């Protein structure tokens, strides 16, 4: 370890990470909001439906590194990509942005929101007071083949290029032209690279959580797992925000902090050790190419995340100043064994109110490390004696996921239901739609597991495997919410008598 960390400081840092982390309910709320936009763009009346809109999250919510706002006046940023199946020869940036703008205007009107505002790249929706959310929707089109050709022509790695996208930017010289020259991005590729940097720690932690609650590993959602790398990024972003609260225009940007932290991380299982190692080694991953500082985009080696440092040297100076501050501030915290002195040192690093909040919780029973009670409501589902084991031989190399679950109630429009979300009212109907990459032919089976006194009294706990004969119309299962309790739904794909893929359990709570 590059600097000594006392037991008291380690405890403080673990609790600091927990206080900074976004509650699971916020991740679920973000999912609901982006699914809502996706459903809107894909509805029958949508002017974009013919272009197969694909809406997904980018940024910190995708990486698992968002942090709580400093106060109730600040908002969570949900960054979405709205990707349409169009080519650069069919549309200009200006056209694409206008096309999405029409639907975002209609969406805002339908749900009684203020009209979306147009930014340089995105359309922004502000939700009602109290929601603490605003949503940035980025228009995009696929550009994987284009980026791969360019990178290979430069003899650079195109390992992550297949998920690249072309995006809109009103400041781009070709914004109004129909041309192949578009700005580009690759949020899905960056996420895959970021996850590859913490793969060992992530898998070990996910397996540990699954063992604790006696669940299948695939039943643990990614956002429920928090690795030391993700926690370090969250801590460093809050430190950056505090240190540059009076000079926000030059503060280090999150993508540089995230990239350098991920490169410096060595899959340490311990948060304090990971923090110390990352702070000691981040600078080693900043290059100089022909006198230009360079922070390489790992998914597009031709791109320099620090390109603005050349024209704005004050940003370079601010970054290295921040890195010195971070190293000294956390070294001071780490070497202290007096809780009061730790809090005082932390006040300068992460803010006085947060430091005091962490210190105040030091005597509580709040668990250290990652959340221990991930599926407390659902443990009975995974351990239920009537939950049968899959009867097929296992060759599960394919993938199947329950991609969308909708709730139907008479007199209301269907709504999207998320895994392990707030309890539903009895009497509603559910539709589970799954997707798979297993090539046909195959058989589909569903396992429904009920719990609770009502289902037991009715002798309807289930837990067996029901064949689905409606493969031609898509992989869809319809159920009714009849009994109070925690229930699970899982999809299995069977090919040639072997289990080819399983979705993991989708948890449904009914009150």
């Amino acid at each position: 370890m590059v600097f000594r960390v006392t037991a008291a400081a380690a405890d403080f840092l673990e609790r600091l990470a927990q206080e900074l982390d976004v509650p699971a309910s916020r991740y679920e709320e973000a999912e609901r909001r982006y699914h809502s936009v996706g459903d809107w763009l894909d509805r029958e009346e949508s002017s974009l439906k013919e272009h197969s809109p694909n809406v997904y999250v980018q940024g910190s919510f995708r990486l698992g590194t968002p942090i709580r706002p400093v106060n109730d006046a600040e908002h969570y940023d949900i960054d979405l990509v709205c990707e349409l199946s169009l080519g650069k020869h069919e549309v200009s940036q200006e056209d694409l942005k206008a096309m999405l703008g029409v639907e975002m205007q209609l969406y805002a009107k339908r749900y009684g929101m203020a009209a979306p505002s147009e930014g340089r790249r995105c359309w922004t929706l502000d939700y009602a007071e109290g929601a603490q959310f605003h949503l940035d929707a980025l228009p995009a089109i696929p550009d994987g083949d284009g980026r791969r050709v360019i990178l290979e022509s430069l003899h650079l790695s195109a390992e992550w290029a297949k998920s690249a996208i072309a995006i809109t930017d009103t400041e781009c010289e070709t914004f109004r032209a129909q041309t192949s020259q578009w700005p580009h991005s690759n949020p899905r590729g960056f996420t895959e690279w970021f996850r590859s940097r913490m793969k060992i720690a992530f898998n070990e932690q996910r397996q540990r959580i699954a063992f604790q609650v006696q669940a299948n590993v695939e039943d643990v959602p990614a956002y429920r797992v928090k690795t030391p790398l993700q926690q370090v990024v969250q801590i460093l972003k809050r430190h950056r925000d505090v240190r540059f609260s009076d000079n926000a225009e030059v503060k280090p940007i999150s993508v540089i902090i995230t990239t350098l932290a991920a490169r410096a991380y060595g899959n340490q299982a311990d948060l304090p050790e990971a923090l110390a190692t990352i702070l000691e080694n981040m600078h080693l991953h900043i290059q100089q190419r022909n006198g230009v500082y360079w922070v390489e985009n790992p998914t597009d080696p031709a791109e320099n995340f620090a390109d603005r440092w050349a024209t704005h040297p004050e940003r370079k100076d601010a970054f290295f100043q921040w890195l010195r501050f971070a190293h000294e501030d956390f070294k001071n915290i780490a070497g202290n064994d007096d809780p009061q002195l730790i809090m005082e040192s932390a006040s300068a690093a992460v803010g006085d109110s947060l430091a005091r909040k962490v210190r105040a919780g030091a005597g509580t029973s709040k668990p250290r490390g990652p959340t221990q009670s991930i599926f407390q409501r659902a443990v009975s589902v995974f351990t239920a004696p009537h939950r049968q084991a899959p009867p097929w031989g296992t060759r599960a190399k394919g993938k199947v996921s329950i991609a969308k679950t909708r709730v139907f109630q008479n007199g209301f429009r269907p709504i999207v239901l998320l895994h392990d979300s707030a309890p539903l009212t009895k009497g509603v109907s559910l539709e589970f739609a799954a997707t798979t990459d297993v090539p046909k032919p195959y058989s589909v089976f569903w396992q429904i597991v009920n719990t609770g006194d009502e289902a037991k009294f009715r002798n309807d706990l289930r837990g067996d495997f029901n064949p689905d004969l409606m493969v031609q119309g898509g992989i869809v299962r319809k159920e009714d919410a009849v009994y109070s309790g925690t229930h699970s739904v899982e999809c299995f794909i069977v090919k040639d008598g072997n289990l080819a893929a399983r979705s993991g359990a989708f948890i449904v709570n009914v009150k």
Side-chain angles (χ1 to χ4, degrees):
M1 187 177 295
V2 291
F3 51 71
R4 183 179 70 91
V5 181
T6 68
D11 181 79
F12 183 91
L13 290 171
E14 294 279 9
R15 293 177 183 280
L16 171 62
Q18 292 177 28
E19 289 294 346
L20 279 175
D21 197 18
V22 173
S25 60
R26 287 298 190 180
Y27 283 96
E28 292 164 359
E29 180 69 12
E31 276 199 74
R32 282 194 290 272
R33 295 189 187 279
Y34 88 76
H35 279 305
S36 175
V37 172
D39 289 343
W40 179 262
L41 299 184
D42 198 38
R43 74 194 192 287
E44 289 300 323
E45 304 86 358
S46 170
S47 61
L48 301 180
K49 184 174 178 59
E50 64 177 305
H51 304 303
S52 304
N54 181 20
V55 176
Y56 51 90
V57 174
Q58 64 171 334
S60 62
F61 270 92
R62 188 176 184 92
L63 297 172
T65 59
I67 56 178
R68 293 177 190 253
V70 174
N71 54 57
D72 292 341
E74 293 190 6
H75 284 200
Y76 292 96
D77 297 332
I78 306 176
D79 298 312
L80 301 186
V81 174
C82 299
E83 187 176 337
L84 303 180
S85 295
L86 286 164
K88 295 177 182 178
H89 63 284
E90 299 176 86
V91 67
S92 68
Q93 295 178 53
E94 183 179 39
D95 293 336
L96 183 67
K97 195 171 188 190
M99 290 165 64
L100 180 61
V102 169
E103 288 298 333
M104 297 303 288
Q105 295 274 356
L106 293 173
Y107 179 87
K109 184 177 181 180
R110 167 64 179 81
Y111 291 102
M113 303 169 65
S117 57
E118 182 178 3
R120 173 181 164 185
R121 295 189 176 99
C122 305
W123 291 98
T124 299
L125 284 172
D126 285 310
Y127 289 87
E129 289 299 322
Q132 258 192 299
F133 274 106
H134 74 250
L135 183 153
D136 291 330
L138 175 68
I141 59 176
D143 194 29
D145 289 341
R147 291 311 301 169
R148 178 184 55 78
V149 169
I150 290 174
L151 290 173
E152 289 178 350
S153 71
L154 297 171
H155 305 289
L156 297 172
S157 171
E159 178 182 3
W160 310 98
K162 65 180 180 180
S163 55
I165 54 176
I167 63 176
T168 64
D169 186 340
T170 57
E171 295 185 7
C172 178
E173 293 181 357
T174 59
F175 178 70
R176 293 182 172 83
Q178 195 163 305
T179 173
S180 61
Q181 303 302 311
W182 285 51
H184 56 89
S185 184
N186 192 354
R188 287 179 295 182
F190 188 86
T191 302
E192 290 304 309
W193 172 81
F194 182 77
R195 289 176 178 171
S196 75
R197 299 297 303 167
M198 60 180 189
K199 183 177 181 179
I200 296 173
F202 179 89
N203 289 341
E204 288 179 350
Q205 194 179 112
R206 197 180 192 193
Q207 290 170 357
R208 190 182 312 120
I209 293 170
F211 176 78
Q212 288 170 346
V213 299
Q214 300 181 49
N216 295 319
V217 172
E218 58 266 27
D219 294 331
V220 182
Y223 69 82
R224 300 279 194 172
V225 180
K226 196 65 64 177
T227 67
L229 171 59
Q230 292 167 308
Q231 292 176 313
V232 169
V233 171
Q234 290 173 308
I235 290 172
L236 294 182
K237 289 200 298 184
R238 175 49 54 88
H239 178 270
R240 179 263 328 258
D241 291 344
V242 169
R243 280 295 189 178
F244 287 87
S245 58
D246 295 327
N247 198 13
E249 63 274 10
V250 299
K251 72 179 183 181
I253 59 177
S254 294
V255 73
I256 290 182
I257 293 175
T258 303
T259 300
L260 294 177
R263 289 197 185 279
Y265 179 57
N267 271 294
Q268 290 84 5
D270 178 75
L271 168 61
E273 184 180 358
L275 177 63
T277 301
I278 287 171
L279 284 175
E280 188 71 17
N281 295 300
M282 285 177 76
H283 72 284
L284 299 177
H285 301 281
I286 302 173
Q287 302 172 317
Q288 284 201 52
R289 300 183 182 179
N290 298 320
V292 175
Y293 283 93
W294 197 283
V295 178
E296 182 181 287
N297 177 350
T299 68
D300 193 328
E303 181 178 3
N304 177 16
F305 282 146
D307 59 347
R308 297 294 180 93
W309 289 6
T311 54
H312 298 276
E314 68 276 11
R315 298 185 186 184
K316 169 183 64 70
D317 296 340
F319 176 84
F320 286 107
Q321 181 189 49
W322 166 76
L323 192 56
R324 288 192 298 272
F325 279 144
H327 192 276
E328 290 304 312
D329 287 345
F330 288 107
K331 185 176 181 180
N332 289 338
I333 293 170
N336 224 315
D337 58 8
D338 184 302
Q340 180 62 30
L341 294 178
I342 290 173
M343 187 206 73
E344 292 175 2
S345 296
S347 293
V350 297
D352 185 66
S353 61
L354 177 59
R356 290 182 181 279
K357 188 175 182 180
V358 175
R359 171 72 179 98
T364 69
S365 58
K366 190 174 184 178
R368 287 179 56 186
T371 303
Q372 302 286 318
S373 57
I374 295 301
F375 291 120
Q376 292 303 307
R377 294 194 309 276
V379 168
S380 59
V381 176
F382 299 120
T383 60
H386 52 280
R387 181 188 181 97
Q388 298 181 12
W392 309 280
T394 302
R395 291 182 182 173
K397 295 184 178 180
K399 295 180 181 179
V400 60
S401 62
I402 299 177
K404 182 183 294 185
T405 300
R406 296 195 295 172
V407 180
F408 296 84
Q409 187 174 8
N410 289 338
F412 295 90
R413 293 173 59 90
I415 62 172
V416 174
L417 178 68
L418 301 181
H419 163 80
D420 197 17
S421 58
L424 300 170
T425 302
K426 284 192 292 185
V428 300
S429 297
L430 303 170
E431 181 182 88
F432 302 88
T435 59
T436 184
D437 63 359
V438 177
K440 293 182 180 180
Y442 52 74
S443 300
V444 180
F445 290 83
W446 295 85
Q447 184 182 47
I448 315 298
V449 182
N450 293 330
T451 67
D453 292 337
E454 292 181 350
K456 185 176 181 180
F457 177 77
R458 297 283 184 180
N459 195 29
D460 198 19
L461 290 171
R462 304 170 75 175
D464 55 351
F465 295 89
N466 308 122
D468 187 342
L469 302 178
M470 301 298 294
V471 177
Q472 290 184 353
I475 308 176
V476 176
R477 181 78 183 185
K478 295 183 179 180
E479 293 284 336
D480 294 322
V482 179
Y483 308 116
S484 297
T486 297
H487 317 294
S488 72
V489 179
E490 186 166 6
C491 183
F492 297 78
I493 305 295
V494 177
K495 187 176 179 68
D496 300 327
N498 291 293
L499 179 60
R502 63 184 297 181
S503 66
F506 186 102
I507 301 299
V508 177
N509 299 295
V510 181
K511 60 184 178 182

